[in-house]
């Protein structure tokens, strides 16, 4: 049967269960037939996906314990379908109901139950360990601890401590290794001393703060307590200069003292027109002040003698 037809028929079963009001009741659902199998079939996979990609997509419905992505025996390329096993059989119901008919990388997936999963026969020369992994999976198995009383647990802890103490220490004649170990011991001791000194300083500051509170109980000792370890300082020393609080002060904005003349051969016509307007405004301002508005004298420093005008 066409895979798309199977997908449609499967979705119709789910719609019928919703209409009958038995959706979610596994005892009356069509999923009950596959209650003893935690394997699902996944078809229509993109050929570029690996086992890890498939697990990352389908692991949102439960813990995956085994996967068998069918590959070509000669080339090793994926054939586009696989068998996947969940740790809990209820995860198969979720994956079948939610992923059957979805589009993954522009390909429609077909997800269905597998009633009886059989180990693939395309690798008959596989060793026993590989076959066991195919059948049982590679998920970590739960460790079964024996039932122990509280007294037995305490005794076991004591034995473990004794074993740890009985471990022989490292004995070596290597001078470099010994120097490194000695340096580490010294560093640990220095850290301990620093911690002790910090604790002593904190205790001393607390005592001073209590004495000052007793002398003047009406004072604001919260702010004063913060400055005990650093000493009283001014605001400028603590926060530095802050121009945000310079209210009312005039800020002198320095403008251009001269009008830069553009290169008429290379400049855009808009810049030239702007320069002309600014130049006319400067002339009008000079005329209002009674200054001369004659053109600038020719800059002789930039002209060679053979080009200079002889006036």
């Amino acid at each position: 049967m066409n895979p798309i037809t199977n997908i449609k028929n499967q979705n119709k079963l789910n719609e019928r269960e919703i209409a009958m009001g038995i959706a979610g009741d596994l005892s009356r659902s069509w999923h009950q037939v596959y209650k003893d199998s935690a394997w699902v079939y996944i078809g229509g996979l993109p050929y570029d996906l690996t086992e890890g990609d498939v697990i990352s997509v389908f692991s949102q419905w439960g813990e995956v314990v085994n996967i068998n992505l069918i590959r070509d025996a000669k080339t090793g390329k994926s054939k586009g379908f696989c068998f996947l096993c969940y740790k809990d059989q209820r995860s198969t119901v979720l994956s079948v109901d939610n992923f059957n008919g979805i589009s993954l990388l522009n390909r429609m997936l077909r997800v269905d139950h597998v009633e009886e999963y059989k180990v693939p026969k395309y690798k008959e020369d596989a060793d026993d360990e590989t076959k066991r992994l195919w059948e049982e999976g590679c998920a970590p198995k739960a460790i079964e601890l024996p039932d122990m009383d509280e007294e037995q647990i305490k005794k076991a802890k004591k034995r473990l401590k004794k074993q740890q103490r009985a471990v022989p220490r490292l004995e070596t004649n290597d001078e470099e290794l010994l120097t490194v170990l000695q340096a580490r011991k010294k560093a640990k001791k220095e850290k301990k001393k620093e911690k002790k000194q910090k604790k002593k300083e904190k205790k001393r500051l607390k005592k001073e703060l209590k004495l000052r509170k007793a002398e003047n109980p009406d004072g604001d000792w919260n702010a004063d307590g913060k400055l005990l370890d650093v000493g009283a300082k001014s605001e400028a020393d603590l926060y530095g200069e802050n121009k945000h609080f310079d209210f009312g002060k005039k800020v002198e904005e320095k403008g251009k003292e001269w009008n830069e003349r553009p290169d008429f051969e290379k400049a855009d016509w808009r810049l030239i027109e702007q320069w002309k307007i600014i130049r006319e405004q400067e002339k009008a301002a000079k005329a209002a002040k009674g200054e001369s508005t004659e053109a600038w004298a020719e800059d002789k420093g930039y002209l060679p003698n053979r080009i200079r005008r002889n006036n």
Side-chain angles (χ1 to χ4, degrees):
M1 190 181 290
N2 192 359
I4 297 174
T5 308
N6 284 329
I7 292 169
K8 289 180 179 179
N9 292 336
Q10 203 164 310
N11 291 331
K12 285 179 181 178
L13 283 173
N14 292 331
E15 290 174 1
R16 191 179 301 169
E17 284 187 358
I18 292 169
M20 294 172 65
I22 60 172
D25 187 2
L26 294 178
S27 61
R28 302 170 65 187
S29 175
W30 66 276
H31 297 287
Q32 182 66 14
V33 181
Y34 307 98
K35 65 178 180 178
D36 297 326
S37 175
W39 287 87
V40 292
Y41 166 81
I42 305 166
L45 288 169
Y47 298 105
D48 297 333
L49 294 184
T50 61
E51 286 86 351
D53 298 330
V54 178
I55 289 170
S56 63
V57 173
F58 280 81
S59 61
Q60 59 183 298
W61 305 117
E63 184 179 351
V64 179
V65 295
N66 201 350
I67 185 171
N68 179 21
L69 181 64
I70 308 302
R71 294 179 178 272
D72 188 79
K74 294 180 180 179
T75 61
K77 292 183 179 180
S78 171
K79 291 187 177 181
F81 66 96
C82 74
F83 297 92
L84 186 137
C85 181
Y86 284 103
K87 186 176 182 180
D88 192 347
Q89 191 273 337
R90 291 174 292 183
S91 301
T92 61
V93 179
L94 293 172
S95 62
V96 170
D97 286 346
N98 290 283
F99 274 175
N100 187 43
I102 68 164
S103 178
L104 182 65
L105 295 176
N106 298 325
R107 295 202 66 186
M108 186 180 289
L109 295 185
R110 179 175 172 248
V111 185
D112 198 357
H113 292 282
V114 176
E115 189 172 2
E116 291 182 3
Y117 176 73
K118 295 180 181 179
V119 178
K121 295 181 180 179
Y122 67 95
K123 284 188 178 180
E124 296 178 354
D125 57 343
D127 55 349
D128 296 336
E129 185 65 21
T130 307
K131 290 179 180 178
R132 188 186 65 79
L133 286 173
W134 285 342
E135 292 177 354
E136 299 178 5
C138 56
K141 296 180 180 178
I143 300 170
E144 295 181 357
L145 294 172
D147 296 333
M148 297 175 69
D149 299 334
E150 292 182 1
E151 294 180 359
Q152 292 177 350
I153 292 168
K154 288 180 181 179
K155 288 180 181 179
K157 286 182 179 179
K158 287 180 180 179
R159 287 174 191 168
L160 207 145
K161 285 181 180 179
K162 286 181 180 179
Q163 289 174 2
Q164 289 176 353
R165 289 173 185 171
V167 174
R169 294 185 179 180
L170 178 66
E171 293 182 1
T172 180
N173 296 324
D174 193 355
E175 293 181 358
E176 293 182 359
L177 183 61
L178 289 170
T179 52
V180 170
L181 293 171
Q182 288 174 0
R184 286 180 180 175
K185 285 181 181 179
K186 286 181 180 178
K188 286 181 180 179
K189 288 180 181 179
E190 287 177 359
K191 284 183 179 180
K192 287 181 179 179
K193 286 181 181 179
E194 287 178 0
K195 286 181 179 179
K196 287 181 180 178
Q197 287 178 358
K198 285 180 180 179
K199 287 181 180 179
K200 287 180 181 179
E201 281 291 320
K202 285 182 179 179
K203 288 180 180 179
R204 185 183 63 79
L205 293 172
K206 285 180 179 179
K207 287 180 180 179
E208 288 183 5
L209 187 59
K210 285 180 180 179
L211 292 171
R212 295 175 74 177
K213 281 183 179 180
E215 291 175 0
N216 189 4
D218 298 331
D220 185 10
W221 299 106
N222 292 326
D224 200 7
K226 292 177 184 178
L227 299 176
L228 278 174
D229 54 347
V230 294
K233 291 186 178 181
S234 62
E235 291 184 357
D237 293 335
L238 290 172
Y239 304 109
E241 295 182 0
N242 196 343
K243 296 180 180 179
H244 177 72
F245 297 102
D246 295 340
F247 299 112
K249 292 183 180 180
K250 293 182 179 180
V251 181
E252 294 181 0
E253 295 181 358
K254 292 183 179 180
K256 288 185 178 180
E257 297 179 356
W258 50 274
N259 184 18
E260 186 178 359
R261 180 176 179 179
D263 188 357
F264 294 114
E265 294 180 359
K266 297 179 182 179
D268 190 15
W269 65 272
R270 297 182 185 86
L271 294 174
I272 296 169
E273 292 297 325
Q274 289 176 4
W275 180 83
K276 287 180 180 179
I277 293 166
I278 294 168
R279 184 62 182 154
E280 292 297 328
Q281 291 176 356
E282 289 177 353
K283 284 183 179 180
K286 285 183 178 180
K289 292 178 181 179
E291 298 177 0
S292 62
T293 58
E294 295 180 359
W296 292 335
E298 187 178 23
D299 192 359
K300 297 179 181 180
Y302 291 95
L303 295 173
N305 293 328
R306 60 187 178 79
I307 299 176
R308 268 183 204 166
R309 296 176 184 175
N310 296 320
N311 291 333

